Amino acid sequence: MRIAELINRTTLFDRLLLVFMVFVTGAAIVLVPLYLPHGGQVRIEVDNKLLYKLPINEDKTIPIGGLVVEIRAGKVRVADSDCPGKICVKQGWIDSGAIICLPKRVVITVEGTAAAPKGVDATT
Amino acid sequence: MQQREKYRLALLAACAIAMYGFERLIPTPIPWLRFGFANIITLITLTLYGFNAALTITLIRILIGSMLTGTLLGPPFVMSLVGGVFSVAAMWAAFRIRVFGPLGLSLIGAFFHNLGQLLAVYAVFIQNLRSILVLAPVILFIGTLTGVLNGLAVIFTMEHLKKMSDNVQNTQ
């Protein structure tokens, strides 16, 4: 099938929706990281309860249930887990955002110490 | 239900399970990246045989798929279930308003699948909205990408099916 034929198979609304989705995705990719605090504190929650709050620049290894959380050189990762999927381990090192382990209900988030998000201010 | 219909649903469900199994073999750089190839079958079923048929094969696929991968009743199962039902319902609603082709329906299906999964995660497992929103860009990106890929696959498949049925009618 040729490209022109392929385009004929899509409706106007298909194309509008695609443009809209690409735009929203692009906006989210650019904007969300700006609002994520980098560095600062590592929060470790289990079952929606805060278990640890640790500074990210202090190297440490903490076992929680079947998980091993490692903090090193301003980054955090799940070094090992006894869950079958190991999605949290595959995610690797992060210095912003979150690692979520569903089977263990563990959420590791990185919080900034400063209240204002980096990179955005009133003048720009 | 007619015997013929049962066979057809069983065949389509088998196709969807095969797609599901096949995509698990593809290594992906991001752990959450799933192509959702089974949605190709769901969307074709929805277009040709309607909502009930599409919902039936989605439920069969999720149930048998999770038995095969050993995640029955675990978190991935709950996520697939809610995501699958959301996506079929949304695609049906979009199909009924008759302005979208396969590409648009596939994008809508992918988006609502992800939305359903996130709602399931929030409701059942983790009440931490911020850490879920952190994933939003990745999920939107994957949803749009796989939505386009699957939508194109549906266009090609429907075209092929049409040609085949034309041939059958011509030879008779």
Side-chain angles (χ1 to χ4, degrees):
Chain A
M1 199 192 281
R2 278 157 217 258
I3 303 288
E5 273 181 80
L6 194 63
I7 292 170
N8 273 335
R9 302 276 164 225
T10 61
T11 67
L12 175 66
F13 285 88
D14 284 352
R15 285 170 240 164
L16 288 178
L17 183 67
L18 179 58
V19 171
F20 176 73
M21 288 304 291
V22 169
F23 178 76
V24 170
T25 306
I29 288 172
V30 174
L31 293 180
V32 171
L34 288 182
Y35 286 94
L36 291 180
H38 288 256
Q41 302 245 299
V42 179
R43 285 171 67 97
I44 302 173
E45 286 166 51
V46 181
D47 256 332
N48 303 317
K49 283 190 280 290
L50 181 64
L51 223 63
Y52 294 95
K53 202 167 176 181
L54 303 158
I56 201 165
N57 44 23
E58 255 171 54
D59 295 2
K60 203 165 189 181
T61 308
I62 319 134
I64 307 161
L67 259 74
V68 180
V69 179
E70 190 182 357
I71 303 174
R72 183 148 36 101
K75 289 183 175 190
V76 61
R77 72 161 176 175
V78 178
D80 198 16
S81 163
D82 59 7
C83 61
K86 299 213 192 316
I87 286 177
C88 47
V89 180
K90 284 182 205 151
Q91 200 177 340
W93 295 98
I94 62 160
D95 62 357
S96 71
I99 300 176
I100 299 171
C101 174
L102 269 193
K104 313 266 180 216
R105 302 198 178 199
V106 176
V107 179
I108 303 161
T109 41
V110 182
E111 284 191 331
T113 36
K118 262 187 190 174
V120 181
D121 61 48
T123 54
T124 44
Chain B
M1 201 189 282
Q2 294 279 313
Q3 202 69 12
R4 227 181 124 91
E5 266 178 81
K6 277 189 201 163
Y7 288 141
R8 197 158 55 203
L9 284 185
L11 186 63
L12 287 164
C15 284
I17 294 163
M19 294 291 222
Y20 176 79
F22 172 69
E23 79 172 18
R24 286 182 63 90
L25 298 176
I26 305 173
T28 52
I30 318 167
W32 311 287
L33 180 65
R34 281 283 157 75
F35 289 100
F37 288 142
N39 199 39
I40 298 171
I41 306 292
T42 310
L43 191 47
I44 291 171
T45 313
L46 190 70
T47 323
L48 295 178
Y49 308 115
F51 178 75
N52 286 343
L55 189 63
T56 310
I57 66 149
T58 304
L59 293 178
I60 294 174
R61 193 253 305 163
I62 292 164
L63 196 66
I64 305 215
S66 69
M67 280 179 190
L68 291 176
T69 54
T71 54
L72 188 64
L73 303 181
F77 173 75
V78 178
M79 287 168 68
S80 309
L81 192 64
V82 180
V85 173
F86 256 65
S87 128
V88 174
M91 287 194 296
W92 178 241
F95 180 67
R96 287 293 295 272
I97 59 173
R98 296 187 178 282
V99 295
F100 292 109
L103 182 65
L105 292 176
S106 171
L107 279 170
I108 289 167
F111 178 79
F112 276 89
H113 189 270
N114 289 329
L115 187 71
Q117 288 196 324
L118 286 189
L119 286 177
V121 168
Y122 184 75
V124 184
F125 302 104
I126 291 161
Q127 271 86 35
N128 183 336
L129 199 59
R130 222 194 61 181
S131 59
I132 290 175
L133 283 178
V134 165
L135 301 176
V138 186
I139 283 163
L140 277 169
F141 177 72
I142 294 170
T144 309
L145 184 74
T146 59
V148 171
L149 286 178
N150 292 337
L152 294 181
V154 172
I155 294 177
F156 285 129
T157 314
M158 294 295 276
E159 201 66 15
H160 188 66
L161 286 176
K162 223 175 94 190
K163 265 184 209 151
M164 277 187 358
S165 73
D166 284 349
N167 284 345
V168 169
Q169 273 157 12
N170 289 341
T171 49
Q172 272 170 354

